[in-house]
RNA sequence: GCUUCUUUAGCUCAGUUGGUUAGAGCAUCUGACUGUUAAUCAGAGGGUCCCUGGUUCGAGCCCAGGAAGGAGCGCCA
């Protein structure tokens, strides 16, 4: 008989017919009820064993975590917790799981802290929470490709190994095949990278944007979706050393087009998850509601998970300029009462506390801030006519902070070269990039979305390490 | 990197003013029961009290240093 996935068995109306399912035991109750899960859905199928007339040797091997092949008749359940169940005819134990060993793992049938689950990242897939998170993570990735494909974007693979650190987006991981103990040296006693694999110093990418711009200035609309690496010593719940980033880039788009695209995009993803991940979302929703009920009122979510997603889908994002934001902050209660740790003044970079105030207290919805002072943003962002600000935008989400950073790019060659000078960026190294401005330059814009931050938002997980299968953070590269 | 909190059984945690044999629930094992939904009942096993040093007649508890983890901040996506 062919195996049927549990998600299909549960949907099936064919009671009375025989099925074969394979999966892992979640629990074995009363020597009679096996809860079996195969990962196709968060739901388990209940397999009912007539233990009085069953091989005891097999029953003994059925324990939490074991892999089974179960053959039996699909029947309407006599119990109230499920619509259908399998009346077992035959069980083959595919892989045993020693209970004495299993009790040391996250697979034991009880609630665990997320910290403990993280220590066994290789086993946490078997839990309800992480099963749900990673099925949703897939759905978000798929939705992203679908969104762009449906709009005629081309998926562009930008290099993971790069020779430029021009963007200055952060500390980089160096890649080398040189002997680390005795590297070849130049006459000056420096490491001689000319003898390295690529004949120069190279790093893991911190952004595919500059390369994506080249694609956009020929293919029109492109996006990247790949791994990104930052060697920052960041110890927070929203930073990873290895994460995935989506960077669309569109020729002939200005900042307004860019904002519209971003908003459509984020709404599309939230909506996709709401309509396609019902069971997993409901589980995470209930989990959060339960957790919240044990917290003091002040620490609870104002909106629950489902409502937060619906809110993003149904409401316009609040758009305002940096200059307006500074004014709002200066009029705010915490500012007047001296509650902010950092001062608010035009020209400063907004601190987390300021962004959180705007998103969580003042507007209570996603916020797009635009037109930041030139000095605090990257060299490639387009200079506004006021001479002080650039056509930048940051999208701020409640609880997560900056989820998207983007801009209209500086397309005027002379202006871009001036900015290179101002920001100490080597024109020589970026000659290939400047060529786009030499040959048929045109206005264009794009943004970068932190994939894991989006997954955090749609799953309600509050630590970024819990939305990536194998988190890489300072001092941690396990498994 | 900075601030702050935490570290006691496989897990989650309690542990009084420094006092003799360190506890609970869950998990595991044994037995009973058997249409259960984190099954129930009875019993059992299970401890480098994070590490190092100090104070003390005596330290899980006090002091110093260190490590790991959480939360917040900075850097950012």
């Amino acid at each position: 008989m062919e195996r049927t996935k549990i998600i299909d068995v549960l949907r099936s109306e064919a009671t009375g017919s025989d099925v074969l399912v394979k999966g892992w035991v979640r629990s074995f109750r009363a020597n009679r009820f096996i809860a079996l899960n195969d990962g196709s859905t968060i739901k388990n199928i209940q397999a009912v064993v007539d233990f009085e007339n069953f091989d005891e040797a097999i029953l003994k091997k059925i324990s939490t975590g074991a892999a089974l092949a179960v053959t039996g008749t699909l029947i309407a359940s006599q119990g109230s917790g499920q619509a259908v169940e399998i009346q077992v005819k035959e069980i083959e134990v595919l892989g045993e799981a020693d209970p004495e060993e299993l009790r040391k793992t996250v697979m034991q049938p009880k609630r665990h802290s997320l910290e403990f689950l993280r220590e066994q990242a290789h086993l946490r897939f078997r839990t309800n929470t992480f099963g749900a998170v990673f099925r949703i993570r897939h759905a978000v990735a798929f939705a992203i490709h679908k969104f762009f494909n449906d709009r005629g974007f081309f998926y562009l693979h930008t290099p993971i190994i790069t020779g430029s650190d021009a963007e200055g987006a952060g500390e980089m991981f160096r890649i080398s095949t040189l002997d680390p103990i005795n590297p070849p040296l130049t006459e000056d006693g420096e490491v001689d990278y000319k003898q390295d694999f690529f004949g120069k110093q190279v790093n893991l990418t911190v952004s595919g944007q500059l390369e994506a711009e080249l694609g956009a200035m020929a293919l029109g609309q492109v996006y990247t979706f790949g791994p990104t690496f930052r060697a920052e010593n960041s110890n927070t719940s929203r930073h990873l050393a290895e994460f995935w980033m989506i960077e669309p880039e569109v020729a002939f788009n200005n900042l307004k087009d860019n904002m519209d695209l971003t908003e459509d995009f984020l709404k599309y993803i939230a909506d996709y998850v709401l309509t396609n991940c019902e069971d997993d979302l409901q589980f995470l929703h209930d989990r959060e509601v339960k957790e919240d009920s044990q917290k003091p009122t002040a620490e609870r979510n104002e909106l629950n998970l489902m409502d937060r997603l619906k809110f993003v889908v149904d409401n316009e994002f609040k758009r305002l300029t940096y200059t307006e934001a500074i004014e709002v902050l200066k009029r705010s209660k915490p500012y007047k009462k001296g509650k902010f740790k950092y001062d608010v003044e035009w020209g400063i970079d907004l601190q987390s506390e300021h962004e959180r105030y705007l998103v969580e207290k003042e507007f209570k919805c996603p916020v797009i801030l635009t037109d930041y002072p030139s000095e605090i943003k990257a060299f490639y962002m387009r200079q506004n006519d006021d001479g002080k600000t650039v056509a930048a935008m940051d999208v701020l989400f409640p609880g997560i902070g900056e989820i998207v950073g983007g801009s209209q790019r500086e397309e005027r060659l002379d202006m871009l070269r001036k900015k290179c000078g101002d920001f100490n960026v080597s024109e020589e190294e970026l000659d290939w990039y400047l060529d786009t401005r030499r040959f048929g330059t045109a206005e264009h814009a794009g943004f970068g979305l932190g994939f894991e931050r989006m997954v955090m938002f749609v799953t309600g997980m509050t630590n970024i390490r819990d939305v990536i299968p194998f988190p890489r953070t300072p001092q941690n590269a396990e498994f």
Side-chain angles (χ1 to χ4, degrees):
Chain A
M1 199 187 305
E2 258 190 47
R3 174 174 89 98
T4 310
K5 282 186 292 173
I6 288 170
I7 191 171
D8 296 324
V9 173
L10 291 172
R11 279 186 199 143
S12 166
E13 315 235 310
T15 48
S17 58
D18 280 4
V19 290
L20 163 63
V21 296
K22 296 182 182 181
W24 296 272
V25 176
R26 282 295 175 78
S27 71
F28 186 27
R29 282 185 297 271
N31 213 18
R32 188 191 290 278
F33 304 100
I34 304 167
L36 203 68
N37 186 283
D38 69 357
S40 60
T41 165
I42 194 164
K43 291 180 177 164
N44 304 323
I45 185 85
Q46 173 159 286
V48 185
V49 191
D50 181 15
F51 65 89
E52 287 96 342
N53 305 301
F54 211 84
D55 185 346
E56 266 187 57
I58 290 177
L59 287 177
K60 263 204 110 69
K61 290 178 184 171
I62 300 171
S63 60
T64 305
L68 304 183
V70 175
T71 313
T73 312
L74 189 65
I75 57 169
S77 178
Q78 296 174 36
S80 58
Q82 55 283 315
V84 292
E85 62 191 19
I86 296 173
Q87 187 66 54
V88 172
K89 288 182 175 168
E90 195 187 332
I91 291 177
E92 184 188 352
V93 179
L94 303 170
E96 294 175 51
D98 180 0
E100 285 286 355
E101 289 299 315
L102 190 107
R103 79 191 193 108
K104 294 174 187 167
T105 74
V106 301
M107 287 155 71
Q108 58 176 272
K110 77 181 288 288
R111 271 189 83 80
H112 300 294
S113 67
L114 293 172
E115 290 80 22
F116 180 59
L117 289 160
R118 220 173 283 149
E119 285 170 20
Q120 296 179 31
H122 58 306
L123 294 178
R124 63 183 179 167
F125 292 109
R126 297 270 193 105
T127 65
N128 283 332
T129 299
F130 284 90
V133 165
F134 292 126
R135 275 186 296 269
I136 290 177
R137 183 183 165 104
H138 158 79
V140 173
F142 182 80
I144 287 167
H145 284 300
K146 183 164 162 50
F147 174 88
F148 286 124
N149 184 63
D150 288 353
R151 284 158 185 75
F153 280 69
F154 300 107
Y155 178 26
L156 189 72
H157 295 100
T158 50
I160 289 164
I161 300 171
T162 67
S164 66
D165 63 346
E167 205 204 340
E171 290 294 311
M172 306 178 93
F173 289 102
R174 199 160 55 234
I175 301 185
S176 175
T177 54
L178 295 178
D179 182 346
I181 297 165
N182 283 308
L185 301 177
T186 62
E187 284 173 6
D188 305 335
E190 308 265 300
V191 176
D192 186 7
Y193 287 104
K194 285 213 173 72
Q195 294 187 46
D196 206 345
F197 188 90
F198 293 105
K200 62 190 275 195
Q201 207 173 316
V202 296
N203 305 291
L204 291 177
T205 182
V206 292
S207 163
Q209 181 206 312
L210 300 188
E211 291 88 349
E213 282 189 47
L214 309 198
M217 294 306 280
L219 298 165
Q221 317 182 98
V222 302
Y223 69 103
T224 74
F225 187 169
T228 310
F229 307 87
R230 304 268 168 96
E232 301 284 351
N233 189 18
S234 298
N235 295 292
T236 80
S237 52
R238 47 182 206 286
H239 287 88
L240 291 164
E242 176 184 288
F243 64 101
W244 290 67
M245 187 152 68
I246 296 96
E247 296 176 289
E249 196 69 36
V250 184
F252 316 117
N253 261 17
N254 61 23
L255 187 65
K256 161 118 189 353
D257 302 324
N258 205 27
M259 285 192 276
D260 292 344
L261 178 68
T262 309
E263 191 167 336
D264 284 351
F265 173 65
L266 295 173
K267 285 179 167 167
Y268 181 90
I269 295 170
D271 188 53
Y272 187 90
V273 171
L274 274 170
T275 49
N276 291 280
C277 306
E278 217 176 323
D279 294 343
D280 289 320
L281 198 57
Q282 188 67 52
F283 175 84
L284 293 171
H285 174 94
D286 294 345
R287 180 182 178 281
E288 187 187 275
V289 168
K290 213 177 290 171
E291 291 240 314
D292 267 11
S293 69
Q294 290 168 4
K295 285 185 190 165
T297 320
E299 288 172 29
R300 293 181 193 171
N301 290 289
E302 287 193 32
L303 291 177
N304 61 44
L305 178 57
M306 295 278 201
D307 288 341
R308 292 201 299 277
L309 294 191
K310 284 178 194 151
F311 188 88
V312 164
V313 174
D314 295 338
N315 288 278
E316 299 284 299
F317 291 10
K318 176 73 187 173
R319 299 180 184 193
L320 73 165
T321 66
Y322 168 90
T323 304
E324 289 164 346
I326 294 286
E327 284 165 14
V328 170
L329 287 168
K330 288 211 158 200
R331 284 200 304 267
S332 72
K333 256 190 206 162
Y335 178 78
K336 286 178 178 166
K337 288 186 176 171
K339 288 278 172 64
F340 286 137
K341 207 171 139 198
Y342 294 87
D343 197 17
V344 179
E345 203 56 57
W346 199 96
I348 59 123
D349 210 351
L350 294 180
Q351 305 294 317
S352 290
E353 59 177 357
H354 305 141
E355 295 180 347
R356 290 184 77 134
Y357 172 81
L358 291 172
V359 173
E360 291 164 20
K361 296 282 184 286
E362 179 75 23
F363 299 115
K364 298 189 182 216
C365 73
V367 170
I368 309 182
L369 286 181
T370 61
D371 303 294
Y372 283 78
S374 317
E375 290 77 22
I376 60 172
K377 286 290 177 184
F379 78 97
Y380 52 72
M381 297 189 178
R382 192 179 195 279
Q383 189 72 45
N384 287 329
D385 292 342
D386 63 11
K388 302 187 297 187
T389 60
V390 288
M393 61 163 206
D394 281 359
V395 181
L396 309 176
F397 263 31
I400 290 164
E402 187 179 341
I403 196 164
V404 163
S407 68
Q408 184 175 336
R409 318 306 190 188
E410 183 55 77
E411 85 283 10
R412 298 160 296 187
L413 180 63
D414 51 344
M415 190 66 87
L416 187 55
R417 291 177 66 177
K418 180 179 172 298
K419 289 294 273 299
C420 284
D422 293 348
F423 282 78
N424 231 345
V425 173
S426 161
E427 277 188 50
E428 216 167 89
E429 274 184 39
L430 276 184
D431 203 49
W432 56 274
Y433 177 70
L434 296 175
D435 270 354
T436 53
R437 276 64 169 175
R438 293 191 180 103
F439 307 111
T441 193
E443 62 178 19
H444 61 289
F447 62 84
L449 168 82
F451 179 62
E452 282 77 15
R453 289 190 181 173
M454 190 63 199
V455 178
M456 284 171 80
F457 180 73
V458 296
T459 57
M461 302 302 278
T462 53
N463 191 314
I464 200 165
R465 297 163 196 210
D466 295 328
V467 299
I468 189 165
F470 300 98
R472 250 90 267 224
T473 52
Q475 299 303 314
N476 177 30
E478 273 300 306
F479 315 113

